[in-house]
Amino acid sequence: DIQMTQSPSSLSASVGDRVTITCRASQTISSYLHWYQHISGKAPKLLISAAFSLQSGVPSRFSGSGSGTDFTLTISSLEPEDFATYYCQQGYSTPPTFGQGTKVEVK
Amino acid sequence: EVQLLESGGGLVQPGGSLRLSCAASEFTFGSYAMSWVRQAPGKGLEWVSAISGSGGSTYYADSVKGRFTISRDNSKNTLYLQMDSLRAEDTAIYYCAKMSGPYSSSSKRNFDWWGQGTLVTVSS
């Protein structure tokens, strides 16, 4: 199985901050990398598919980049509703696997 | 907007069985692969199982293979997960998730809509 490693595991930030989360795959996954936002008690939400394609309705402050093994999720200016846990997921091979998550907390 | 509503979770003893259901609406259910994804307490997300739109192909994580069975009834827009021989490590919130396209397609092997989950607790 392909292992996905996110860093950091958690971070503290303030509204308006720029936040960057990285995701590394244990082998190349082309651009088959997806990002999710999960607020506890709610349904997870797909933010970005195929490394950089923003899902409909997702604010443009979210962006994704990368290919091969290294990927990045960036929130350009953190909003109050963005405090959540973020997961990357590879779809390159089966089984699909997730990173361990990055919790974005209030500073 | 796509709606996915899970039900059937609860407390079950080790070795017991449980059947989860997921009622889907606001999309053409039979045209999309569906999956179950779980989250154990304090842990991250783990894919459990997937099924093709027709129901003819099924896929399982090694951790549940031989114990769990995924199925669907396209006439009822409902997804199921039959869980047998349950273990303590199966304790988790189980999410129903719609896939962007066929499970067999690398470019579509993601989850574009999720339910809010149902809690399964395996304990004596």
Side-chain angles (χ1 to χ4, degrees), chain A residues 35-89:
Chain A
W35 289 99
Y36 302 84
Q37 178 191 63
H38 189 202
I39 297 171
S40 185
K42 293 192 170 184
K45 179 181 178 180
L46 177 64
L47 297 176
I48 290 171
S49 63
F52 57 83
S53 296
L54 207 62
Q55 292 298 106
S56 176
V58 174
S60 58
R61 62 181 180 273
F62 290 93
S63 64
S65 64
S67 66
T69 60
D70 294 307
F71 301 86
T72 300
L73 172 70
T74 300
I75 309 172
S76 60
S77 179
L78 203 63
E79 293 289 336
E81 60 268 30
D82 299 337
F83 292 99
T85 300
Y86 294 85
Y87 293 93
C88 62
Q89 175 247 320

Side-chain angles (χ1 to χ4, degrees), chain B residues 7-30:
Chain B
S7 60
L11 175 63
V12 61
Q13 292 189 338
S17 297
L18 212 54
R19 188 198 200 199
L20 306 183
S21 299
C22 171
S25 59
E26 305 305 323
F27 68 103
T28 307
F29 183 68

Side-chain angles (χ1 to χ4, degrees), chain B residues 45-114:
Chain B
L45 299 170
E46 179 191 18
W47 172 80
V48 172
S49 181
I51 187 168
S52 63
S54 68
S57 297
T58 57
Y59 312 86
Y60 298 94
D62 286 344
S63 58
V64 306
K65 199 173 294 182
R67 299 187 300 121
F68 289 11
T69 303
I70 191 171
S71 62
R72 64 193 297 161
D73 185 336
N74 287 345
S75 69
K76 295 182 178 179
N77 287 355
T78 303
L79 175 72
Y80 303 101
L81 185 67
Q82 177 67 40
M83 303 186 296
D84 299 320
S85 302
L86 282 161
R87 306 166 180 168
E89 54 265 36
D90 295 318
T91 294
I93 297 172
Y94 284 73
Y95 297 98
C96 164
K98 173 185 170 293
M99 301 192 70
S100 295
Y103 181 83
S104 56
S105 168
S106 293
S107 65
K108 298 295 185 182
R109 198 177 289 132
N110 62 33
F111 315 99
D112 58 356
W113 291 94
W114 301 60

